[in-house]
Amino acid sequence: MFTQAQQESVKALETPFYYYDMALLAETLDRAKAAADKRNFHVHYALKANLNDRVLALIQSKGYGADCVSGNEVQKSIDTGFSPSQITFAGVGKSDKEIILALQQGIFAFNVESIQEMEIINELAAGLGVRANVSLRINPNVDAHTHHYITTGLDDNKFGVPTSELERAASVIRQASHVDLIGLHFHIGSQITDLNVFKSLCVKVNEWKNWFEERGTAIKVLNVGGGLGVDYQHPDENAIPDFEAYFDIFDRFLERSAQQEVHFELGRALVAQCGSLVSKVLYTKSGIKKNFLILDAGMTELMRPALYQAYHKIERVDANTSAEEKLYDVVGPICESSDCFGKEVPLPASERGDLVAIRTAGAYGEVMASRYNLRDEIRYVFSDQF
Ligand SMILES: *Cc1c(COP(=O)(O)O)cnc(C)c1O
């Protein structure tokens, strides 16, 4: 991951910190953009995956839109330079204050997740004397075949309007004086690696688009969400996801007219591989059954393993990797048993002071950092700084 020369500089830095490979990020963004542009697809970047200032500024500069899930994310997008006309706002629990902010900023569209929310947006828009563009988020009951904590499109998930309610939703929209339905929105989960799942999604999108059109409602935007997965096992071999194959599925299976726009909301696939969490071994400990590596990073810096048993590849950063391999439980310093980055991880025999990198941490990493145990503010460095 680091050249020999870089390793020396890295060793001098205070750990733990996030390391962002800006060249890889730029290349990933260029490839995804080219694959989308070729098919006239629009991509909104899902800010919640990573909103580090420099990462976000680069994404903005590459011509992506912004997909937000809070009022503060809407504000952050605007502050970063995204035009309001490129901003969408999703989420099951938008507060009145957040809705008002987004209305005042004149964002492109709200992705509306319930009938009641639609009524509230209509009321608040009327109060401000503005109109709101909305896309209706439909829960299509498609199994994303991913971890149940990051599955969002099944009947028992809290997201979107269930299809049994669409008749009523359509009638509420027709009667709403300050709301314009521009599109349908779907987002069925995250870290989806089986592209057939997206094929199934296309079938559902076609079905519901036709349903609305048959009832005389024109649909301008088909928003199919995000969710494309990355290779957590092989961050170097598969550093950039296969965006061509991904967009190709939608190109082939999504039925649409020339006037209809197709929108995507990618988060993880754009930023996951460019980030690593670099940490130092504080202590080694041999238990009755286990060898432990105790790091200076914990779930407070990277929560995914504790939150949803996520796998991250763990490597030694320094070159001296000819040492005999051992199996380690790699754990953090936080007072929680779930504060563990990996069990029985094969690593060269390691000592206090050795550096490890926890790979593929650019998405849902730094953004989820917390001050639990009154930990230091998270640190980060960029590849072009040394
Ligand atoms: C989180 C989220 C995304 C991004 O998901 P990824 O799996 O990171 O691509 C897109 N749309 C919505 C509505 C989301 O909540």
Side-chain angles (χ1 to χ4, degrees), residues 46 48-49 67 69 90 137 185 187 189-191 225-228 265-269 364:
K48 75 175 192 285
D67 172 44
V69 288
R137 178 166 182 180
H185 174 237
H187 175 70
S190 199
Q191 184 52 18
L228 177 61
E265 302 169 336
L266 292 177
R268 186 192 312 271
Y364 307 105

Side-chain angles (χ1 to χ4, degrees), residues 37-63:
D37 285 353
K38 199 163 104 182
R39 299 169 171 91
N40 216 358
F41 289 165
H42 302 255
V43 183
H44 290 89
Y45 167 65
L47 260 77
K48 75 175 192 285
N50 186 322
L51 37 70
N52 177 287
D53 285 345
R54 270 198 69 190
V55 169
L56 195 56
L58 185 61
I59 294 171
Q60 190 275 331
S61 75
K62 297 284 185 184

Side-chain angles (χ1 to χ4, degrees), residues 11 38 44 54 95 105 107-108 126-127 148 157 192 214 220 226 251 264-265 275 277 310 313 353 375:
K11 277 184 194 152
K38 199 163 104 182
H44 290 89
R54 270 198 69 190
S95 71
Q105 295 289 354
I107 63 163
F108 172 68
H148 60 284
N157 294 129
I192 297 168
E214 280 160 14
K220 188 172 147 233
D251 204 8
F264 293 81
E265 302 169 336
L277 177 62
K313 188 170 185 199
R375 300 274 291 167

